[in-house]
Amino acid sequence: EWLDLSLINFTEPDPRLYRDFDILVQQSMLDETHAFLQTLVNENLSVGNLIDSDFTFLNSRLARFYQIDGVAGDELQRVALKPEHHRGGVLSHGAVLKVTANGTTTSPVIRGLWVSERLLGIHVPPPPENVPAIEPDIRGAKSIREMLAKHRADASCASCHVKIDPPGFALENFDPVGRWRDSYENGSAVDASGVLFRRHSFKNVVEFKDAILAEKDRFTRAFAGHMLSYALGRGLTPADSPALDRISAKTITDGYRLQTLLHEVVQSAPFINKPRQKKASAEPPKNSIKTTR
């Protein structure tokens, strides 16, 4: 639910554009993410691995799709990553990259919104109803950056786009099915640069990950918020803030360990005091009609 992996079937990439993508690759992508997250819990690793990690889980089919050599067999296996692989952390998982694209093209807005809300803890309100669509305002634009620059010229759009566009630009080197690209189909080079939180400049996805990890405490609190919300089965309210602060502080003090975060969630006051569902009674209702066979 946190990563929206249930939406992976929502789009179907054009087989003429993405011939190497198929259902086996897609299932391997899901398996990669599930195995990765389970390992973080089992080995009590730092939550920072969610953003950048030196390993992932691949089989030969997915490794070939990612253009990573040296992986044989159909079984998923732990693989050490190198810088030239352009992988590491959920941001570079094919499942996440497919979920945040439409199957044909990528949008920095869509991916930026997803990263902002799912990873950075930034709530982005829906656009005002009177804001026009991007298309009428992009005549003459040559790149996605120029398209969005024209959109940001609208004051009612700028306040949100300054937050959500940079994370989206950082992922532009990944195409709609999660493969690495240095240029678009029209031959223009990908520009993945931006500024995070208005103070961390980055030139590519590696530096973008570094920028997030420079704010690891902030990311930890955002992730803890998702975990607490899931545990409670509801959205968080201001009344949950003290518990969330405590969960985050304990996790940070203990080296950002994932098991510590999970332990603090289930020991938190909101979780302990959560209303419990009543068990169904074995007794028939008083006004029910009893039958015999």
Side-chain angles (χ1 to χ4, degrees):
E1 290 185 14
W2 170 49
L3 299 178
D4 291 325
L5 298 186
S6 62
L7 302 179
I8 198 165
N9 288 319
F10 188 72
T11 61
E12 185 174 347
D14 188 335
R16 294 171 298 179
L17 298 175
Y18 309 106
R19 296 179 181 179
D20 295 336
F21 182 86
D22 56 30
I23 192 64
L24 294 178
V25 169
Q26 177 172 293
Q27 185 58 52
S28 297
M29 288 175 171
L30 289 172
D31 293 342
E32 173 192 19
T33 303
H34 289 147
F36 178 74
L37 296 176
Q38 190 64 57
T39 298
L40 297 190
V41 175
N42 291 350
E43 298 184 7
N44 196 20
L45 300 179
S46 165
V47 297
N49 284 277
L50 292 166
I51 301 301
D52 195 17
S53 180
D54 60 2
F55 72 92
T56 192
F57 288 84
L58 306 173
N59 55 25
S60 61
R61 187 71 181 84
L62 186 56
R64 187 164 63 251
F65 186 78
Y66 285 167
Q67 296 184 326
I68 295 176
D69 298 326
V71 179
D74 297 330
E75 296 297 322
L76 213 63
Q77 53 197 277
R78 186 165 177 161
V79 176
L81 295 172
K82 300 176 182 179
E84 58 265 29
H85 293 154
H86 308 296
R87 302 288 164 177
V90 296
L91 282 172
S92 61
H93 282 196
V96 167
L97 294 164
K98 183 179 184 295
V99 163
T100 56
N102 66 11
T104 303
T105 60
T106 58
S107 168
V109 175
I110 295 175
R111 280 182 171 170
L113 177 64
W114 187 94
V115 173
S116 295
E117 295 195 332
R118 297 297 180 180
L119 296 180
L120 304 181
I122 300 174
H123 173 67
V124 181
E129 294 182 0
N130 62 342
V131 173
I134 294 178
E135 287 77 7
D137 301 319
I138 61 173
R139 293 178 180 177
K142 297 180 180 180
S143 70
I144 188 64
R145 283 183 173 271
E146 290 172 317
M147 293 162 61
L148 291 174
K150 289 190 174 185
H151 198 51
R152 286 194 300 272
D154 187 326
S156 59
C157 300
S159 61
C160 287
H161 278 274
V162 73
K163 301 175 183 177
I164 63 179
D165 288 357
F169 286 137
L171 299 182
E172 275 295 278
N173 278 115
F174 296 103
D175 72 11
V177 292
R179 295 179 307 185
W180 181 265
R181 62 186 177 188
D182 293 308
S183 60
Y184 298 104
E185 289 189 1
N186 63 8
S188 60
V190 172
D191 181 358
S193 63
V195 180
L196 182 65
F197 301 139
R198 300 189 181 186
R199 61 176 175 271
H200 298 290
S201 298
F202 58 87
K203 296 179 181 179
N204 49 50
V205 68
V206 173
E207 293 184 3
F208 175 67
K209 293 177 184 179
D210 291 340
I212 298 178
L213 293 177
E215 303 279 349
K216 191 187 290 188
D217 291 3
R218 180 172 183 166
F219 165 71
T220 300
R221 192 179 192 279
F223 177 61
H226 285 294
M227 295 298 297
L228 181 59
S229 177
Y230 180 82
L232 298 177
R234 61 170 174 80
L236 300 185
T237 69
D240 299 312
S241 291
L244 186 55
D245 289 340
R246 177 180 173 82
I247 294 168
S248 303
K250 288 280 190 177
T251 303
I252 293 167
T253 300
D254 195 33
Y256 303 90
R257 300 295 177 183
L258 193 53
Q259 286 185 18
T260 300
L261 189 151
L262 296 174
H263 181 270
E264 292 302 320
V265 165
V266 299
Q267 291 296 316
S268 67
F271 183 80
I272 292 175
N273 298 322
K274 181 176 71 169
R276 307 298 180 187
Q277 291 183 347
K278 294 182 179 180
K279 293 183 179 180
S281 174
E283 296 292 330
K286 291 182 179 181
N287 295 329
S288 66
I289 299 175
K290 295 182 179 180
T291 60
T292 58
R293 295 194 179 190

